[in-house]
Amino acid sequence: MKFTVKQIATLLEGEVAGNDALAITGLAKIEEGKPGDISFLSNLKYEPHLYTTQASAVIVDRSFEPKKPVVSALIFVENSYLAFTRLLEEYHKQLIFSRVGVEQPSYMGDGTEVGEQSYRGAFSYIGKNCQVGKNVKIYPQAYIGNNVRIGDNTIVHPGARILDNCIIGQYCVIHPNAVIGSEGFGFAPQSDGTYKTIPQLGNVILEDFVNVGSNTTIDCATMGSTIIRKGAKLDNLIQIGHNVEIGKNTVIAGQTGISGSTKIGDNCVIAGQVGFAGHLTIANGTKVGAQSGVGKNVDQEGTAINSSPAFGLKESMRSLAIFRKLPDLENRVTKLEKKNEKQS
Amino acid sequence: MKFTVKQIATLLEGEVAGNDALAITGLAKIEEGKPGDISFLSNLKYEPHLYTTQASAVIVDRSFEPKKPVVSALIFVENSYLAFTRLLEEYHKQLIFSRVGVEQPSYMGDGTEVGEQSYRGAFSYIGKNCQVGKNVKIYPQAYIGNNVRIGDNTIVHPGARILDNCIIGQYCVIHPNAVIGSEGFGFAPQSDGTYKTIPQLGNVILEDFVNVGSNTTIDCATMGSTIIRKGAKLDNLIQIGHNVEIGKNTVIAGQTGISGSTKIGDNCVIAGQVGFAGHLTIANGTKVGAQSGVGKNVDQEGTAINSSPAFGLKESMRSLAIFRKLPDLENRVTKLEKKNEKQS
Amino acid sequence: MKFTVKQIATLLEGEVAGNDALAITGLAKIEEGKPGDISFLSNLKYEPHLYTTQASAVIVDRSFEPKKPVVSALIFVENSYLAFTRLLEEYHKQLIFSRVGVEQPSYMGDGTEVGEQSYRGAFSYIGKNCQVGKNVKIYPQAYIGNNVRIGDNTIVHPGARILDNCIIGQYCVIHPNAVIGSEGFGFAPQSDGTYKTIPQLGNVILEDFVNVGSNTTIDCATMGSTIIRKGAKLDNLIQIGHNVEIGKNTVIAGQTGISGSTKIGDNCVIAGQVGFAGHLTIANGTKVGAQSGVGKNVDQEGTAINSSPAFGLKESMRSLAIFRKLPDLENRVTKLEKKNEKQS
């Protein structure tokens, strides 16, 4: 980022007090601001930092009046917190879409087309007959197999792997070393104790605005598609089995695993390190506590479950509370037994 | 895949009714078949789809007689389900072994030999003094260190890493971004609270027909070898510690972790997200439930265990059932106490 | 490694009996020694192997007297076990720092400087304006973004990804396919059920002597830094959320996950598959049992906790012991109820 204070004030529809020609190159908390940084003051608890900060500029509310001299340029806006957030988003967008063009060496197979404003980093590989949209950023060392389609404005980070025939929507982000469309775990036991590989010939479909975290793996379907619906967000180190379907706007935290053919509804919130058995159907709006083990369907929308094996959240909290004092409960039983013995 | 209906009928030893010159380029379920696809009808529940499918050809049992006109070409065989499965396998084999030759740039160190019919993708790296067999497929961006041996017909997917001195058998599949032979977690605590690295100088041996899932990590032995025996199948995101041994035809589901020096027997079935402590011995044929934590040896073959810490499967099911109604059990105890108080 | 027996004896300050001109190329256990190997004999339980081993040389204690003829050269030292360990470490150091120079093709952006004695493997990528110290080993296919700093003697293994602005200390080891500094899981729920990305603009700082295991992911901070303090050791497949801080000399075993903004103290020992909720503070010297789920702060130094949700280790052991015999406890309650019924 390289802007003047004046340019930023114009973007945020604010007015400047101080030197509006200063160059801004970074964003920082007000207590950590260095020359070249821009910061903000919203919660007046932090006002003392305003008089000591090294930041070149600080965004403040229009209603704010400094009580001491301020070295930083001030940008007065309607809502300083929202203005700073907008600046963060603008800066972020610029950053992630800043790379354009082709670094060499990189590899592109026959019949593949890549849209304008895209980036292909050094050592990136795109197979044959792929259709890659506009403003797509393929980072160095990323791999894209044959017959893959990628929508506009999607980012494929370094070392991410997208295997043959997968379909990736617009505005998706595939984080480093994620694997999409690899062959899942399909093996048929034979009478001699060995296992025969069941061919996995389907693909993975990510709809628009899907996030796939670092080192997360999404297996292709046996036939048909493993599907991650629009706006779903997957954290790091998640395992998604073959033929799974994840609903719209469902968020899944790190290290959770979902076994083959399970369908998770829309708008679910699934915490970290959860496990789902295969072939389940989980209703829309289900909430699952961390480290839960889900072995049964959830039929009712908006259910909250917890524990391993998972059951109702409230019930599980009660059982877990008693679990912690089980020795006490056992003592109470022993006491009753002794009394009983005396009485008889 | 690109075959005529006639060629497929010959492969499956079947007879064609309809246009046997049609080109087949894909496989699909009968209800999803598009022109160019081949499908099958085995369960007659799906017979109505036969009269509406867009598939160019459908495999049916020899005994089957259509009740309405059919647009697709029909291939009559002894057992349509088995025939379709055979077609899937044939297609799969063709697909995975279809790449041959060397894409540039790729790197190969001195003294390394690669067998015929092999593939080395762009940006793949093979170090010095490696012996790579026939029909081995080293995908783009895969890494193979020095002194590695790889048997015939093995596939190393994009971004997989095989470190120095590892020995990989025949017909193994190493999925994307798996790491084989990295240095494990060996640190000796020092008196000042710091840790000293214990050199990890051994290797990993994969015997024949081993499957290593995406983003799975297998650490090299401290000295000697970490060994994965013939036919063992590891899913995605599994952690195998140094000096571990996994028995023949043992299958391990995703996100399971096995600590250093533990020996797992043959023909075990281990579910997902299981953890094993180090230095254990687990008998042949052991079955371990999902999310279990195994802290003790399993001596008896064919034992089923569950829960964390793990104990007998049946016993654990009983304890877990009572766990869910612990508040009820506590109420019963409270009631007894109250009665007792009255009585005394 | 390629040394003569004499050179090794000199390094270890020992005396040779036998052929001191033999070439040593490997290290092995005495029972597995082959020609070219060096081994050691410390525990006299293994003495019989000395008379049958194929190893070219064996390190023994100065006080040791063979009872039979020995084919191997013997190196007499003060303490054979420590001498062998020293040899292992020397060999290991040589191995890991042996690669020097630049393999082509590799990529280096403008304004980046790399110190002497460093290695940059084929297909490695270093972005713009990076400062890479002396004797740093960047293995093939590793990725380093823009504005990254890496201290002397650090090793970045194949496929490891270090994203923009991260700061890596001296003597760190980043194992294959680890991801450092990717954008974490920050999404703000919107009123229509969708999620908006919260820009993640901070970085990751690894202080000196930090180990990051294979396929481990460390997210960058939202603003500021995710910090891994000096000497901390992270195993494979660990997830570290944004703005987390890990204290000095803390060791964390495989597949553990730490949610955003949690601060772990110094000298903690955290077992495998543990989960930490976000925004916690964990005191120095805390010990956490495998598969625990930590949902609360730990205030007292040196606390041992266990179970999910985690509580005191001893207490949890007692509760878990009773959990296993819950059916028995329920029977006792039922018995009491029946007696009571009779009595009333």
Side-chain angles (χ1 to χ4, degrees):
Chain A
M1 163 157 127
K2 200 155 191 183
F3 289 111
T4 62
V5 170
K6 188 174 183 182
Q7 286 171 317
I8 291 174
T10 306
L11 172 77
L12 302 178
E13 301 171 30
E15 301 82 43
V16 180
N19 184 351
D20 68 1
L22 284 172
I24 297 300
T25 54
L27 303 115
K29 296 182 197 169
I30 193 165
E31 65 269 33
E32 295 173 354
K34 300 179 306 296
D37 287 343
I38 187 165
S39 189
F40 76 107
L41 175 65
S42 172
N43 184 336
L44 292 183
K45 191 172 85 178
Y46 298 102
E47 184 177 343
H49 293 302
L50 179 66
Y51 309 115
T52 59
T53 187
Q54 303 282 311
S56 296
V58 178
I59 303 168
V60 296
D61 290 342
R62 215 157 252 150
S63 58
F64 175 75
E65 288 179 35
K67 286 162 202 68
K68 298 188 194 175
V70 175
V71 175
S72 320
L74 295 181
I75 303 179
F76 289 89
V77 298
E78 203 50 42
N79 181 322
S80 61
Y81 176 71
L82 289 185
F84 189 71
T85 302
R86 204 177 141 202
L87 197 61
L88 277 178
E89 284 166 2
E90 194 56 42
Y91 176 50
H92 186 241
K93 208 192 298 176
Q94 276 202 24
L95 258 186
I96 61 176
F97 287 120
S98 63
R99 300 196 184 200
V100 174
V102 181
E103 292 169 357
Q104 290 303 352
S106 56
Y107 186 99
M108 197 166 87
D110 294 342
T112 286
E113 288 176 14
V114 176
E116 56 193 25
Q117 284 298 102
S118 288
Y119 165 63
R120 294 194 289 119
F123 319 123
S124 66
Y125 185 102
I126 309 184
K128 293 181 227 167
N129 303 318
C130 295
Q131 285 177 274
V132 177
K134 287 183 232 169
N135 203 27
V136 170
K137 310 302 178 182
I138 313 282
Y139 271 73
Q141 303 153 337
Y143 174 85
I144 292 163
N146 297 328
N147 313 312
V148 171
R149 296 204 324 249
I150 300 184
D152 298 347
N153 302 301
T154 278
I155 298 171
V156 182
H157 277 285
R161 319 285 166 199
I162 302 174
L163 281 83
D164 291 358
N165 308 314
C166 288
I167 299 173
I168 310 293
Q170 299 186 27
Y171 289 100
C172 291
V173 182
I174 320 291
H175 286 284
N177 291 349
V179 177
I180 296 176
S182 57
E183 286 184 46
F185 206 56
F187 298 98
Q190 305 297 298
S191 55
D192 63 353
T194 65
Y195 288 84
K196 199 172 168 181
T197 300
I198 299 171
Q200 305 288 317
L201 295 165
N203 72 349
V204 173
I205 297 175
L206 303 191
E207 296 187 352
D208 300 340
F209 296 100
V210 167
N211 181 87
V212 178
S214 301
N215 282 334
T216 278
T217 60
I218 306 178
D219 290 338
C220 71
T222 308
M223 286 180 71
S225 300
T226 302
I227 304 178
I228 315 293
R229 298 269 177 221
K230 192 172 172 179
K233 310 293 183 190
L234 312 186
D235 197 357
N236 299 345
L237 291 165
I238 287 171
Q239 152 68 0
I240 306 285
H242 55 81
N243 295 82
V244 162
E245 196 176 319
I246 307 287
K248 282 183 200 169
N249 300 320
T250 280
V251 296
I252 305 182
Q255 298 179 320
T256 282
I258 302 180
S259 302
S261 300
T262 281
K263 314 277 178 227
I264 309 271
D266 297 343
N267 298 101
C268 294
V269 177
I270 297 165
Q273 298 184 336
V274 171
F276 286 83
H279 297 274
L280 301 180
T281 303
I282 306 298
N284 294 338
T286 299
K287 287 179 172 37
V288 186
Q291 297 189 325
S292 294
V294 184
K296 288 184 185 170
N297 289 343
V298 175
D299 299 325
Q300 177 104 31
E301 297 204 0
T303 306
I305 58 175
N306 189 47
S307 203
S308 173
F311 58 110
L313 172 63
K314 277 187 194 164
E315 295 81 351
S316 81
M317 298 306 273
R318 278 187 219 118
S319 284
L320 287 164
I322 299 173
F323 173 78
R324 291 181 60 150
K325 40 180 197 170
L326 268 185
D328 179 48
L329 186 65
E330 199 196 24
N331 282 343
R332 288 162 62 191
V333 173
T334 306
K335 229 172 176 173
L336 284 166
E337 287 169 336
K338 283 185 183 160
K339 274 194 183 174
N340 246 290
E341 235 159 76
K342 271 190 215 164
Q343 293 175 344
S344 52
Chain B
M1 167 158 123
K2 199 153 191 183
F3 289 110
T4 63
V5 171
K6 189 175 182 180
Q7 286 171 318
I8 292 174
T10 306
L11 172 77
L12 302 177
E13 300 172 30
E15 300 82 43
V16 180
N19 183 352
D20 69 0
L22 285 171
I24 298 299
T25 53
L27 302 117
K29 296 182 196 169
I30 192 164
E31 65 268 33
E32 297 172 353
K34 300 179 305 296
D37 286 342
I38 188 165
S39 189
F40 77 107
L41 174 65
S42 172
N43 185 336
L44 292 183
K45 192 171 84 177
Y46 298 102
E47 185 177 342
H49 294 302
L50 180 65
Y51 309 116
T52 58
T53 187
Q54 303 282 311
S56 296
V58 178
I59 303 167
V60 296
D61 290 342
R62 215 157 255 151
S63 57
F64 176 75
E65 288 178 35
K67 285 162 201 66
K68 298 188 195 173
V70 176
V71 176
S72 320
L74 295 182
I75 303 178
F76 290 90
V77 299
E78 204 50 44
N79 180 322
S80 61
Y81 176 72
L82 289 184
F84 189 72
T85 303
R86 205 180 140 201
L87 198 60
L88 277 178
E89 284 165 2
E90 195 55 42
Y91 176 51
H92 185 241
K93 208 193 296 173
Q94 276 201 26
L95 257 186
I96 60 177
F97 288 119
S98 63
R99 301 197 183 198
V100 174
V102 180
E103 292 168 358
Q104 290 302 354
S106 56
Y107 186 98
M108 196 166 87
D110 295 342
T112 286
E113 287 176 13
V114 176
E116 56 192 27
Q117 284 298 102
S118 289
Y119 165 63
R120 296 194 287 120
F123 319 122
S124 66
Y125 186 101
I126 309 184
K128 293 181 225 168
N129 303 316
C130 294
Q131 285 177 273
V132 177
K134 287 183 231 167
N135 203 28
V136 170
K137 311 301 176 182
I138 312 281
Y139 271 73
Q141 304 153 336
Y143 174 85
I144 292 163
N146 298 327
N147 313 311
V148 170
R149 296 206 320 250
I150 300 183
D152 297 348
N153 303 301
T154 279
I155 297 171
V156 182
H157 278 285
R161 318 287 166 198
I162 302 174
L163 282 85
D164 292 357
N165 308 311
C166 288
I167 298 172
I168 311 293
Q170 299 186 26
Y171 289 101
C172 291
V173 182
I174 319 291
H175 287 283
N177 290 351
V179 177
I180 296 176
S182 58
E183 287 185 45
F185 206 57
F187 298 98
Q190 306 297 298
S191 55
D192 62 353
T194 65
Y195 287 84
K196 199 172 169 180
T197 300
I198 299 170
Q200 306 289 318
L201 295 164
N203 72 347
V204 174
I205 297 175
L206 303 191
E207 294 187 354
D208 300 340
F209 296 100
V210 166
N211 180 88
V212 178
S214 301
N215 281 334
T216 279
T217 60
I218 306 179
D219 291 338
C220 71
T222 307
M223 287 178 71
S225 299
T226 302
I227 304 177
I228 316 294
R229 297 272 177 219
K230 192 173 173 177
K233 311 293 182 191
L234 312 186
D235 197 355
N236 299 344
L237 290 166
I238 287 171
Q239 152 68 359
I240 306 286
H242 55 80
N243 295 82
V244 162
E245 198 175 317
I246 307 286
K248 281 182 200 168
N249 301 320
T250 280
V251 296
I252 306 182
Q255 298 180 318
T256 281
I258 302 181
S259 303
S261 300
T262 282
K263 314 277 179 229
I264 309 271
D266 297 343
N267 299 101
C268 294
V269 177
I270 296 164
Q273 299 184 334
V274 171
F276 285 84
H279 297 275
L280 301 180
T281 303
I282 305 297
N284 293 339
T286 299
K287 288 178 171 39
V288 185
Q291 298 189 324
S292 295
V294 185
K296 287 184 184 168
N297 289 344
V298 174
D299 299 325
Q300 179 103 29
E301 296 204 0
T303 306
I305 58 175
N306 189 47
S307 205
S308 174
F311 57 111
L313 171 65
K314 277 185 194 166
E315 294 82 352
S316 80
M317 298 306 273
R318 277 186 221 121
S319 285
L320 286 164
I322 300 173
F323 173 78
R324 291 182 60 149
K325 41 179 196 171
L326 268 185
D328 178 50
L329 186 65
E330 199 195 24
N331 283 342
R332 288 162 63 189
V333 173
T334 307
K335 227 171 177 175
L336 284 167
E337 287 169 338
K338 282 184 183 159
K339 274 195 185 174
N340 246 290
E341 237 160 73
K342 272 190 212 162
Q343 293 175 343
S344 53
Chain C
M1 164 159 125
K2 199 154 191 182
F3 289 110
T4 63
V5 171
K6 190 175 181 179
Q7 286 171 317
I8 291 173
T10 305
L11 172 77
L12 302 178
E13 300 171 30
E15 300 83 43
V16 180
N19 183 353
D20 68 2
L22 286 171
I24 297 300
T25 54
L27 302 116
K29 296 182 196 168
I30 193 164
E31 64 269 34
E32 296 173 354
K34 300 179 307 294
D37 286 343
I38 187 165
S39 190
F40 77 108
L41 175 64
S42 172
N43 184 334
L44 291 183
K45 190 172 86 177
Y46 297 102
E47 185 176 342
H49 294 301
L50 179 66
Y51 309 115
T52 60
T53 187
Q54 303 281 313
S56 296
V58 178
I59 303 167
V60 296
D61 290 341
R62 214 156 253 151
S63 57
F64 175 75
E65 288 179 35
K67 285 162 201 67
K68 296 189 195 174
V70 176
V71 176
S72 319
L74 295 181
I75 303 179
F76 290 90
V77 299
E78 204 51 42
N79 181 323
S80 60
Y81 175 72
L82 288 185
F84 189 72
T85 302
R86 205 179 139 199
L87 197 60
L88 277 178
E89 285 166 1
E90 193 56 40
Y91 175 50
H92 185 240
K93 207 192 298 175
Q94 276 201 26
L95 258 185
I96 59 175
F97 288 120
S98 63
R99 301 197 183 196
V100 175
V102 181
E103 291 169 356
Q104 289 304 352
S106 57
Y107 185 98
M108 197 167 88
D110 294 343
T112 286
E113 287 176 13
V114 177
E116 56 192 26
Q117 285 297 104
S118 288
Y119 166 64
R120 294 194 290 120
F123 318 123
S124 65
Y125 185 102
I126 310 184
K128 293 181 227 169
N129 303 318
C130 295
Q131 285 177 274
V132 177
K134 289 182 228 169
N135 203 28
V136 170
K137 310 301 176 181
I138 313 282
Y139 270 73
Q141 304 152 334
Y143 174 85
I144 292 164
N146 297 327
N147 312 313
V148 171
R149 295 204 324 247
I150 300 183
D152 298 347
N153 304 300
T154 278
I155 298 171
V156 182
H157 277 285
R161 319 285 165 199
I162 301 174
L163 281 86
D164 291 358
N165 307 314
C166 288
I167 299 172
I168 310 294
Q170 300 186 24
Y171 289 100
C172 290
V173 182
I174 320 292
H175 285 284
N177 291 351
V179 177
I180 296 176
S182 57
E183 286 184 45
F185 206 57
F187 298 99
Q190 306 297 299
S191 55
D192 63 352
T194 64
Y195 288 84
K196 198 171 169 180
T197 300
I198 300 170
Q200 305 287 318
L201 296 164
N203 72 347
V204 173
I205 298 174
L206 303 191
E207 295 186 353
D208 301 339
F209 297 101
V210 167
N211 181 87
V212 178
S214 300
N215 281 336
T216 279
T217 59
I218 306 178
D219 290 339
C220 71
T222 307
M223 286 179 72
S225 299
T226 302
I227 305 177
I228 316 294
R229 298 272 177 217
K230 192 174 172 177
K233 311 292 183 190
L234 311 186
D235 197 355
N236 299 345
L237 290 165
I238 287 172
Q239 152 67 1
I240 305 286
H242 54 81
N243 294 82
V244 161
E245 197 176 319
I246 307 287
K248 282 182 199 168
N249 301 318
T250 280
V251 295
I252 305 181
Q255 298 178 319
T256 282
I258 302 180
S259 303
S261 301
T262 282
K263 314 276 179 229
I264 309 271
D266 298 343
N267 299 100
C268 294
V269 177
I270 297 164
Q273 298 182 335
V274 171
F276 285 83
H279 296 274
L280 301 180
T281 302
I282 306 298
N284 294 338
T286 299
K287 287 178 172 40
V288 185
Q291 298 189 325
S292 295
V294 184
K296 288 185 183 167
N297 289 343
V298 174
D299 299 324
Q300 178 104 29
E301 296 203 0
T303 305
I305 59 176
N306 189 48
S307 205
S308 172
F311 57 111
L313 171 63
K314 277 187 194 166
E315 293 81 352
S316 81
M317 297 305 273
R318 277 187 219 118
S319 284
L320 287 164
I322 299 172
F323 172 78
R324 292 182 59 150
K325 41 177 198 174
L326 268 185
D328 179 48
L329 186 65
E330 198 195 24
N331 283 343
R332 289 161 62 189
V333 173
T334 307
K335 226 171 177 174
L336 285 167
E337 288 169 338
K338 282 184 184 161
K339 275 195 184 174
N340 247 289
E341 237 160 73
K342 271 190 216 167
Q343 293 175 346
S344 52

